[in-house]
Amino acid sequence: MKICRFDDDRVGIVLGEEVADVTDALQPIATAQYPFPRHDVLVANLERLRPAMDKLLPDAPRRRLADVQLLSPVANPGKIVCAPVNYADHLAEAMGEAEINHGKSISTIAEAGLFLKATSALQGCSHGVVIEHEQSRNDHEIELVAIMGTAGRNIRHDEALSHIAGYAIGLDMTVRGPQDRSMRKSVDTFAILGPWMVTADEIRDPEDLDLLLSVNGEVRQRANTRDLVMKIADLIAFATSYYSLAPGDLLFTGTPAGVGAVQPGDRIQAHIDGIGSMDVPVRGKRGVAR
Ligand code: MN
């Protein structure tokens, strides 16, 4: 099942070029009270809500996907966990290019550990990226994102994949510079998630998916998730050996070689097999184009 959020917080199921509005299925979770949970309530209740979504589907109002604004498929992740240098070719690129490493020594992921992006950076693909620091280099990083479905701490490798609710495409947008990574990667709109969430049952092998990122039609990043240095199960085990993960938490699994700058007015096309494609506008502070 491909589940999207669109327009004014509608929830839909994507069917080909259309989206079926099944927002009414969320009735059972519309009663959250203060203090609100720190995880995503829709993802936490997804298995419970799926039968109601299926029941609504035949008569659900349909819209053309091209006519809706796609929001981040997860509304309220408690954490955005990210893997640095998790493809060997990107590690080599980051070590070799001063504009990427800014004089900092780049180590392996096992040494460097994982990092967090602020959840306020989260944005859907239709809104796109807003470049606020035009004097700096602003890079795209396409990444497979695993969306946690069930909570856990010290999750074992052999159980890790069963904690995943689904997958989406992520853009870990990055300002290059000497500042702390958690600031450079947390600019508003610098965590793009889209175009929808594909439930885990539809992805046969998350570690055999082709990724492709183009800017204005020019291919920049092309890879396959089989080349992940630290595998998805290992990332979850590694992360949860430090902190718990909760439903809706996002795990950005790392980017392959080919990272590069974007400018206001550019369009980023991102594709991952089994998930789909998204076309993401890059805006300046004052609008789409300069
Ligand atoms: Mn990244």
Side-chain angles (χ1 to χ4, degrees):
M1 187 181 273
K2 293 184 171 76
I3 301 165
C4 70
R5 289 177 61 246
F6 65 99
D7 293 349
D8 50 347
D9 297 307
R10 310 301 296 176
V11 171
I13 294 175
V14 177
L15 301 162
E17 297 301 311
E18 291 185 323
V19 54
D21 188 330
V22 294
T23 311
D24 288 349
L26 274 58
Q27 213 59 43
I29 60 167
T31 54
Q33 287 187 338
Y34 180 84
F36 303 113
R38 280 193 252 173
H39 59 252
D40 188 273
V41 181
L42 171 54
V43 177
N45 288 281
L46 193 54
E47 287 310 309
R48 183 158 79 98
L49 299 177
R50 276 179 75 163
M53 291 179 172
D54 285 330
K55 202 171 163 198
L56 288 173
L57 196 52
D59 297 316
R62 298 215 183 179
R63 303 273 308 279
R64 277 164 35 90
L65 263 176
D67 294 337
V68 304
Q69 290 285 308
L70 289 168
L71 311 174
S72 164
V74 180
N76 292 305
K79 278 200 244 11
I80 303 178
V81 179
C82 304
V85 292
N86 205 19
Y87 288 80
D89 58 358
H90 176 58
L91 174 61
E93 165 183 81
M95 283 174 160
E97 229 181 288
E99 270 191 38
I100 296 179
N101 64 44
H102 277 267
K104 287 190 208 149
S105 65
I106 305 286
S107 50
T108 65
I109 181 169
E111 291 165 344
L114 308 176
F115 66 93
L116 298 170
K117 280 168 91 88
T119 52
S120 48
L122 189 66
Q123 186 56 267
C125 58
S126 296
H127 181 282
V129 174
V130 177
I131 303 285
E132 298 222 19
H133 304 88
E134 289 192 35
Q135 71 285 7
S136 300
R137 178 173 148 176
N138 293 268
D139 278 9
H140 54 75
E141 297 189 355
I142 185 174
E143 313 201 359
L144 174 68
V145 176
I147 301 163
M148 295 300 289
T150 49
R153 177 80 210 276
N154 289 314
I155 295 174
R156 296 205 327 250
H157 300 242
D158 58 333
E159 292 179 343
L161 295 186
S162 69
H163 282 266
I164 296 173
Y167 298 90
I169 307 172
L171 296 181
D172 172 20
M173 300 301 298
T174 304
V175 178
R176 300 294 174 199
Q179 301 91 348
D180 190 86
R181 181 166 50 194
S182 64
M183 189 168 100
R184 292 184 289 104
K185 286 176 171 277
S186 291
V187 183
D188 284 6
T189 75
F190 271 37
I192 298 286
L193 191 72
W196 38 72
M197 172 173 110
V198 179
T199 51
D201 55 296
E202 287 198 9
I203 302 288
R204 188 184 51 79
D205 182 1
E207 281 158 0
D208 186 18
L209 300 175
D210 285 332
L211 294 73
L212 183 67
L213 181 140
S214 308
V215 177
N216 306 326
E218 172 205 338
V219 173
R220 298 266 189 94
Q221 294 184 278
R222 187 197 292 273
N224 185 288
T225 54
R226 76 172 76 90
D227 293 324
L228 285 167
V229 173
M230 189 176 279
K231 304 299 180 189
I232 298 168
D234 296 325
L235 290 168
I236 291 171
F238 191 28
T240 61
S241 72
Y242 282 78
Y243 41 67
S244 53
L245 291 175
D249 282 1
L250 305 177
L251 175 61
F252 279 63
T253 56
T255 202
V259 302
V262 289
Q263 314 284 344
D266 285 346
R267 295 193 80 87
I268 301 171
Q269 297 86 34
H271 171 86
I272 298 183
D273 277 355
I275 298 175
S277 302
M278 59 185 190
D279 184 46
V280 183
V282 180
R283 306 168 190 278
K285 270 184 285 192
R286 288 173 295 280
V288 174
R290 263 204 286 220

